[in-house]
Amino acid sequence: MASAVETESADGEPRIETESGGTLAARIAHRIEETVIRRGWPVGETLGSEVGLRERFGVSRSVLREAVRLVEHHQVARMRRGPNGGLFVCAPDAGPATRAIVIYLEYVGTSVADLLEARLLLEPIAAGLAADRITEEGIETLRAILAEEFAGRDDPESSSEDPLHLMLGALSGNAVLRLFIDVLTRLTARYTHTSRKLSRAEVAESKAVRHEEHSAVADAVIAGDGARAQTALAAHLESVAAWIEKYRVPRASRITGAVVEPEAVEGPGAKLAEVLAGRIHEDITERGWQVGMVLGSETDLLTRYGVSRAVLREAVRLLEYHSVARMRRGPGGGLIVAAPEPQASVDTMALYLEYQGVSAADLHTVRNAIELGIVARVTERLTEGDPVAAERLGRAVRRPSEEPSEDPDKGDLFHTELAALAGNPVLSLFLSILTELFRRHAAGHEQPMPDAQAHAHILDAILRGDAGIARHRMRRHLDTLTPGWR
Ligand SMILES: [Zn+2]
Ligand SMILES: [Zn+2]
């Protein structure tokens, strides 16, 4: 039993924090979510009344209510009041997962080069899959998107970038690719919106070029020619990268700007607290995300945002959940800027993908693309000479046999280290999400021990600068990893 300390939550009620850092409420929320997954995500069914749930988990009303808020935030279930009330399973959309990931990636400082690298690894695969499984309906949709793009070519206000990419993600039939492409496309759009104002002629020219490239991709998909679709999409993304170079937007500049999109949460049924959390988050970003900075006391914030105390407190809970900010009590206290952690977005993404019914094959496809990209990047880096990095990888290969009692949840340290050395936070985060899903589905089975020999062989090829062999060995190694999937 983990020892627990009591701290004070945003509403002044005691909140139990366990050693692992999560609150008791967060653990209860996790158990509720596991139940929903185990039952096959039965939308509309009840998980029990508030009283029933309190008894089942043996927790106080305030702890259960905080757990319910988290589950509601994940769109896993919603509490209905009244005589026939209870906690009902609901159907999530990609919103919360996307927001969580964007919060984290923005905080760690993702550059447009990182985004384009990830897009080049994933989107051509989606285009290839879309070509393989295209239907008449899919053809109609692609044509409609292109027609709309063509119609809007003279309108500088119309954005013609996103729909085709999002549609190819959807047409790939791979839930993981679809979600990742969604995130990447949104992030890239945010970046291009912050670049300098272009002249009418520049806008018109770039729109014409993009439309031509999009048409080439769509033609190949419609023709069922997967190889050509992949090549055309890769060429298009290279051209987007070149466009960014041409307009001298530094490729290494960080994405900035509002991260929690107000339109994403201000729709019908949107909660005021989520809108407010979005505004506060925006303010934190605008001030350069200074961890430890005091944004103001509760009274200051009530005046600044003109909301009720209840709404502010719920918004603070959401910000605390994403580690965007924390409320500190007492003199010198107030809402304090925090450092986001990847775990919140990993959990939310993994949950959403569970709901989408992701398959082992879907995961395998995406994991291959990401890990092979990472291997290529690291090989390139080590060829330029980086003894510290080489030493780090060597340690990661040896570690499992030397320290067998290492936390099994950490999984394959070698892969995590490779991802870290590739230096692309998008790829590292995506890989954690995939690993988390593999881990969840292997639950109850023996977790395979990291294969130190396979890792050593991969590292050998990397150190020799032979990217071809290194990638081949990684591909073979990943084939052995699909666990007893259930
Ligand atoms: Zn495009
Ligand atoms: Zn491995």
Side-chain angles (χ1 to χ4, degrees):
M1 187 64 204
S3 72
V5 285
E6 284 201 0
T7 60
E8 214 174 277
S9 71
D11 47 10
E13 290 172 37
R15 181 171 60 176
I16 316 293
E17 293 213 19
T18 61
E19 251 174 7
S20 56
T23 61
L24 180 58
R27 284 195 295 133
I28 302 295
H30 195 68
R31 282 174 64 186
I32 294 173
E33 290 166 356
E34 297 273 90
T35 309
V36 171
I37 293 166
R38 211 173 42 245
R39 290 200 200 158
W41 214 297
V43 174
E45 271 182 33
T46 178
L47 297 164
S49 67
E50 189 179 295
V51 176
L53 290 165
R54 271 175 57 195
E55 276 168 11
R56 188 189 319 160
F57 296 114
V59 293
S60 71
R61 170 188 282 202
S62 69
V63 168
L64 184 74
R65 288 198 170 163
E66 196 175 335
V68 166
R69 272 185 221 110
L70 291 176
V71 167
E72 287 184 335
H73 182 60
H74 282 156
Q75 297 182 339
V76 171
R78 211 157 264 292
M79 186 63 89
R80 264 185 239 152
R81 310 270 154 202
N84 292 318
L87 191 59
F88 286 84
V89 178
C90 55
D93 65 34
T98 309
R99 281 200 293 282
I101 210 167
V102 170
I103 286 171
Y104 174 72
L105 287 178
E106 188 209 41
Y107 167 71
V108 295
T110 305
S111 71
V112 74
D114 295 332
L115 293 175
L116 286 170
E117 183 184 30
R119 291 183 67 173
L120 260 167
L121 288 177
L122 299 179
E123 291 199 45
I125 295 175
L129 289 171
D132 292 343
R133 56 199 303 285
I134 191 75
T135 60
E136 285 196 18
E137 206 191 345
I139 292 174
E140 300 286 352
T141 321
L142 283 177
R143 283 181 177 158
I145 287 172
L146 286 175
E148 203 169 300
E149 206 175 87
F150 188 71
R153 71 195 183 285
D154 294 326
D155 175 5
E157 294 305 312
S158 87
S159 153
S160 56
E161 185 53 63
D162 304 349
L164 183 85
H165 295 262
L166 299 180
M167 185 47 62
L168 290 174
L171 291 175
S172 76
N174 182 320
V176 189
L177 274 177
R178 181 181 188 168
L179 183 58
F180 285 1
I181 289 172
D182 204 84
V183 168
L184 293 169
T185 311
R186 279 165 199 263
L187 282 169
T188 313
R190 188 186 306 292
Y191 174 85
T192 48
H193 285 160
T194 61
S195 61
R196 78 169 169 87
K197 256 232 152 334
L198 301 176
S199 75
R200 250 190 129 76
E202 284 171 325
V203 172
E205 197 214 319
S206 79
K207 282 193 171 196
V209 170
R210 279 182 205 179
H211 181 69
E212 207 171 291
E213 292 167 356
H214 283 175
S215 304
V217 175
D219 282 350
V221 170
I222 290 168
D225 188 339
R228 183 151 60 89
Q230 291 208 24
T231 317
L233 189 47
H236 168 52
L237 289 173
E238 297 285 6
S239 145
V240 170
W243 181 85
I244 288 168
E245 292 272 348
K246 181 177 168 192
Y247 289 102
R248 286 187 291 277
V249 182
R251 294 227 318 166
S253 62
R254 286 163 153 234
I255 41 167
T256 54
V259 158
V260 180
E261 294 142 50
E263 66 272 21
V265 288
E266 274 171 1
K271 297 176 85 180
L272 207 48
E274 293 192 358
V275 177
L276 177 60
R279 294 232 172 90
I280 296 176
H281 180 205
E282 212 168 297
D283 289 345
I284 292 172
T285 325
E286 272 166 16
R287 294 173 196 195
W289 211 305
Q290 305 172 49
V291 174
M293 179 185 177
V294 182
L295 293 165
S297 67
E298 193 178 80
T299 319
D300 296 340
L301 298 171
L302 286 173
T303 319
R304 189 183 310 161
Y305 296 106
V307 293
S308 72
R309 197 172 293 266
V311 167
L312 178 65
R313 286 182 174 176
E314 196 173 341
V316 167
R317 266 184 222 105
L318 292 176
L319 293 167
E320 288 185 331
Y321 179 72
H322 286 295
S323 316
V324 169
R326 245 164 241 305
M327 188 61 93
R328 197 198 289 154
R329 301 269 149 186
L335 190 61
I336 297 176
V337 178
E341 284 158 24
Q343 202 53 45
S345 49
V346 169
D347 287 345
T348 322
M349 291 286 260
L351 259 179
Y352 175 70
L353 288 171
E354 293 280 6
Y355 168 71
Q356 292 284 308
V358 61
S359 70
D362 288 348
L363 281 183
H364 190 68
T365 302
V366 183
R367 184 166 179 182
N368 259 311
I370 291 175
E371 296 233 39
L372 295 176
I374 287 171
V375 165
R377 180 84 178 259
V378 172
T379 308
E380 202 178 296
R381 179 169 167 185
L382 293 196
T383 311
E384 290 158 10
D386 191 338
V388 178
E391 168 58 26
R392 240 175 95 179
L393 285 173
R395 263 204 312 276
V397 167
R398 290 189 303 270
R399 191 126 153 229
S401 49
E402 284 168 8
E403 294 167 63
S405 60
E406 198 58 16
D407 178 5
D409 280 4
K410 284 264 180 295
D412 249 352
L413 183 67
F414 179 65
H415 299 257
T416 322
E417 284 285 73
L418 272 181
L421 286 174
N424 184 332
V426 182
L427 297 182
S428 289
L429 185 64
F430 284 0
L431 189 60
S432 319
I433 293 162
L434 300 176
T435 317
E436 170 65 19
L437 281 161
F438 270 105
R439 200 182 60 77
R440 286 171 180 229
H441 281 267
H445 294 264
E446 280 286 295
Q447 289 278 353
M449 275 299 286
D451 186 343
Q453 203 183 3
H455 293 167
H457 283 152
I458 296 166
L459 181 57
D460 243 25
I462 290 176
L463 292 176
R464 274 190 282 118
D466 192 338
I469 294 285
R471 283 164 58 92
H472 172 81
R473 287 179 180 170
M474 177 59 94
R475 202 179 295 120
R476 288 286 163 272
H477 173 50
L478 292 175
D479 285 344
T480 67
L481 288 188
T482 311
W485 186 266
R486 47 163 216 174

